[in-house]
Amino acid sequence: MELVQIEPARKTPAPKPEWLKARAPVGENYHDLKRLARSLGLHTVCESAHCPNIGECWHHKTATFMMLGNICTRRCGFCAVPKGRPEAIDLDEPRRVAEAVATLGLEHAVITSVNRDDDLVGGARIFAMVIEEIRKQAPGCRIEVLIPDFQGNREAIGIVVDAKPEVMNHNTETVPRLYRVVRSGARYERSLELLRFSKELRPEGLTKSGVMVGLGEETPELLEVFRDLAGVGCDILTVGQYLRPSRDHLPMARLYTPGEFAELKTEALKMGFRHVESGPLVRSSYHAHEQAASTGLMVAMMMQQPSV
C-alpha cells in the first residue's frame, strides 16, 4: 500500500475589519520625532508598546514619553514592553523629556513609565522631577502622567500628586476576574484605591483610567468596573480593543464592534464621568489633549494665569 503524506492546510488569517486599520507611520513629522527621541536617548510608549495609532499621533507631533528606562519589572500578559532587570534610574532623564516637549512645542504632554518595583519612591520622584522640568522649559504646557500603581505606596503616590499634574492617569486595564492572568503583580482594589487617594489629596485635579476589552470579560463585569471607577471620582475613562502584540501574549477573545463601543460609552456617561473615549483603536493617551479640553481644563488653566 502506498502511503500518502497529507500536509495540514495553513489557516489563512482573517483580514482586519476596516475599523481596526490604522494609518501607517510615515511623513516628515514622524521621522523628525523619531530622530529627536533617539538624539535625547528617550523611549516612547508608542514604539515600545506597538501602539496602532503611532502614525496618526506622530504625524501631529504627539507622543507619550516613557521614563525610567525601557525594561519593566513586571510581566503583564497583554503588554509588549520588554521585561527584565532594569538599569539604574537616570536622574537626567526628566530634563531630556522636558527638552523634547519644548522642542515639539506641545500644549499637552503625556508622560508614562515602566513599572519599577525595585525603587517605588525613586520612580515617583522622577515623575515629580519631569513635571517640574516641563513647567520650566515649556511653561503653559498641560501635563498628564500615566503612572504605575507603585504597589500602593502612599508616599510614592503623594510625591506625584504634590507635583500637581493636570491629569493623574492610572489604568485599571481589565475586570477583577482576569487580573491574575492579565496584570502580573497588580491588584484591582489597589488601582481603585490609588485613584481614590489621588482625588482625596487633590480634589481639583483630574483623574483618569483606561480599560481594554476583548480579553474574555463579560459586559456586566465591564459595567461594574465603570461604576467602581465613577465611585472613586474618576473624571475621564478610555475604553479600547485589546490587540495581541505577538503569539507570546494573551490571546484575544473577541473583537468588539464600533456599535458596542458606542453603547459602552453611553452607559459610562450615565455614571457621571466628565469624558469617555470609547473605540476600537482608543488607547489611554489617544486624543489626550481633546479629552482634557472636554472637561473644561483649558478654561480653568487660562483663568489661573496672571493677566499681563
Side-chain angles (χ1 to χ4, degrees), residues 43-51 66 70 79-82:
H43 301 286
T44 66
V45 76
C46 321
E47 294 177 286
S48 296
H50 303 172
C51 181
M66 187 170 71
N70 193 38
C79 183
V81 174

Side-chain angles (χ1 to χ4, degrees), residues 175-186:
V175 301
R177 177 174 59 83
L178 298 177
Y179 253 58
R180 182 170 291 183
V181 293
V182 175
R183 294 194 66 193
S184 171

